[in-house]
Amino acid sequence: MNSIFEYFADIFHTVKSLLTGMKVTGRYFFSPWEIVTQQYPENRKTLKMYDRFKGEVIMPHNDHNEHRCTGCGICETACPNGTIEIIQAKIDMPDGKKKRIIDRHIYHLGMCTFCGLCIKACPSDALAWGQEFEHAVFDRSKLNKTLNQPGSSIIKDIVE
Amino acid sequence: MKEVINLPVKNVEEEEYHINMGPQHPSTHGVLRLVVSLQGEIVKSLKPHCGYIHRGIEKMCEKDTYPQIIHLTDRMDYLSAHINNHAVCLLVEKALEVEVPERVKYIRTIIDELNRIASHQLWWCSFGMDMGGLTCYFYGLRDREKILDIFEESFGSRLLHSSYTPGGLMMDIHPDFQKNVKAFIKYFRKKIRDYDDLLTGNMIMQMRTKGVGLLSKEDAISYGVTGPSGRASGFSCDVRKHHPYGVYDKVDFREILGTKGDTFERYMMRMNEMHESMRIIEQLIDNIPAGDYSAKMKAVLKLPAGEYYQRVEASRGELGVYCISDGNKTPYRMKFRSPNFSNLSALDHISRGVKIADLVAIGGSLDYVIPDIDR
Ligand code: SF4
Ligand code: SF4
């Protein structure tokens, strides 16, 4: 007798608990303003990332196509996985001395782990985080970027 | 002419056979291969095969300087990335005898707890999914998104932050951090009731988990099962209580202990821990002292020669970092005692004699993260 009672009590409790759960889903079904889904590719125009978002490492240039990189190579040593390659050039200064400048600052985006050590280590604040995040390309060689723009030079007031 | 082979007739009912669960199986939450030996539907024994996602992190640490090691620890237990970072930072700070600013300790503690909630939310999603409730997945992820947004606003990334450095933080918290965390706590206090309605109170889930997958306190200790899974068996192993770091010694929180050690208890442990984590955050969030976000550190960190060990409470158990330094800027040897590896070792013991469907539930309740097992 008792076990039959328990049997039906179990069924009753199970149905009740299922209905409690379905109440939650039902509530959200009828309150569409609580839906949080972002329609990603459609909202590309309005999508704004947070200011500190780590999309990629960039080298900001000013209006005169000037950057702050001295080519010292500290970021190259700070990087844990060889993502950055610094290729230096030597130029002749007017006073006859030779000066070392950056020729190419190569950044292999495909290897970057976004740890931020290069940006922290750079003594002249030449690097920053960029907001771009759509990095999918068909050929991985496209992920090797040169951060200093062609023809760019260093801002005059940077001292080494 | 066809040859007739007479196979010996076996009684299939009694014969033991092996099946592979994984390496590609939705219920193992990653590339883990379990060779399950079955008799009918009953699990006789099981052998986990690890190593499918072994990246040699410990070896890689030997060529990296201490600040560089941080970003590798993110990639062990990626769901408690901040807490893993914390372990290495504490180790380096202890070895160099650096006193980090109070502000850093407060922020780190808050962020660790947020990370723990986020991790438990994702666990709840996947546990619900293991039990056949796919709806849970979306509710849990929806709330986890709020925490990830807070992280993203302050540190720029959502999963692998690398936001701690030896001596402090990579960058200060965002000015809106406190406001957003408080808003999240208020929001989540309300939403966690949905979790209880959807899954905790569900009779089908309770019947499948209560009294299944028992792990006694003695076995939990001898297998080294820590974290919520160990505490469900009554093993008091909370590093935050026993060896406080950060500002855990200043906050009031309970170490919740279970008695039975079954799957349901392991489930409840994590649900209750989310409440405790919220309590810890509430006590700290208004009292973050002003100050620097990092202590002054040398450009090149060289630990004095010797052995160091530091443990923290990651969201799945005790994470230990053992380091031998020979005085150079890179460690001589680095070893991680990852909680998931020890927790997994108990799986064979727990699941002997259960049905194969319950094995999925037990695995879900142990909440293993495979990259942490393999490292
Ligand atoms: S973010 Fe880290 S991995 Fe990427 S380039 Fe900078 S140092 Fe290297
Ligand atoms: S980016 Fe900074 S650290 Fe790297 S070479 Fe240029 S100046 Fe030096």
Side-chain angles (χ1 to χ4, degrees), chain A residues 59-79:
Chain A
M59 185 182 285
H61 286 59
N62 66 7
D63 299 339
H64 307 295
N65 200 15
E66 289 173 333
H67 55 72
R68 300 175 68 88
C69 175
T70 58
C72 64
I74 291 180
C75 53
E76 191 179 10
T77 21
C79 180

Side-chain angles (χ1 to χ4, degrees), chain A residues 57 75-76 78-84 107-109 111-119 127 129, chain B residues 68 71:
Chain A
V57 175
C75 53
E76 191 179 10
C79 180
N81 39 31
T83 306
I84 294 178
Y107 169 58
H108 301 279
L109 174 60
M111 279 157 72
C112 182
T113 50
F114 304 96
C115 64
L117 289 173
C118 51
I119 294 174
L127 300 175
W129 286 117
Chain B
Q68 288 178 343
H71 91 289

Side-chain angles (χ1 to χ4, degrees), chain B residues 69-90:
Chain B
I69 287 173
I70 306 282
H71 91 289
L72 289 174
T73 59
D74 276 350
R75 283 147 179 92
M76 299 193 311
D77 182 353
Y78 49 85
L79 292 175
S80 42
H82 275 124
I83 311 179
N84 297 352
N85 293 352
H86 204 163
V88 179
C89 289
L90 284 172

Side-chain angles (χ1 to χ4, degrees), chain A residues 12 21 27 37 42 47 51 57-58 75 78 85 113 138-139 142 146 148:
Chain A
F12 176 73
R27 199 176 73 228
T37 321
E42 287 81 20
L47 185 66
D51 294 339
V57 175
I58 53 164
C75 53
E85 241 179 275
T113 50
F138 281 108
D139 184 3
K142 292 212 179 76
T146 306
N148 54 333

Side-chain angles (χ1 to χ4, degrees), chain A residues 10 13-14 17-18 20-21 24-25 27-28 34 36 49-50 52-54 77-81 113 115-117 120, chain B residues 63-64 67-68 71 75 135 139 142 149 152-156 161 170 172-174 191 194 197-198 201-204:
Chain A
D10 267 356
H13 284 308
T14 310
S17 71
L18 283 179
T20 319
V24 177
T25 37
R27 199 176 73 228
Y28 285 109
E34 289 207 42
V36 290
M49 309 308 288
Y50 290 105
R52 298 184 181 181
F53 177 71
K54 298 178 182 175
T77 21
C79 180
N81 39 31
T113 50
C115 64
L117 289 173
K120 192 163 178 266
Chain B
K63 74 145 199 20
D64 278 353
Q68 288 178 343
H71 91 289
R75 283 147 179 92
T135 336
Y139 290 104
R142 176 198 62 190
D149 276 346
E152 194 181 340
E153 190 176 30
S154 277
F155 302 118
H161 314 275
M170 210 69 165
D172 206 355
I173 46 171
H174 194 271
K191 294 292 179 193
D194 284 357
D197 284 349
L198 269 172
N202 188 312
M203 284 298 279
I204 300 173

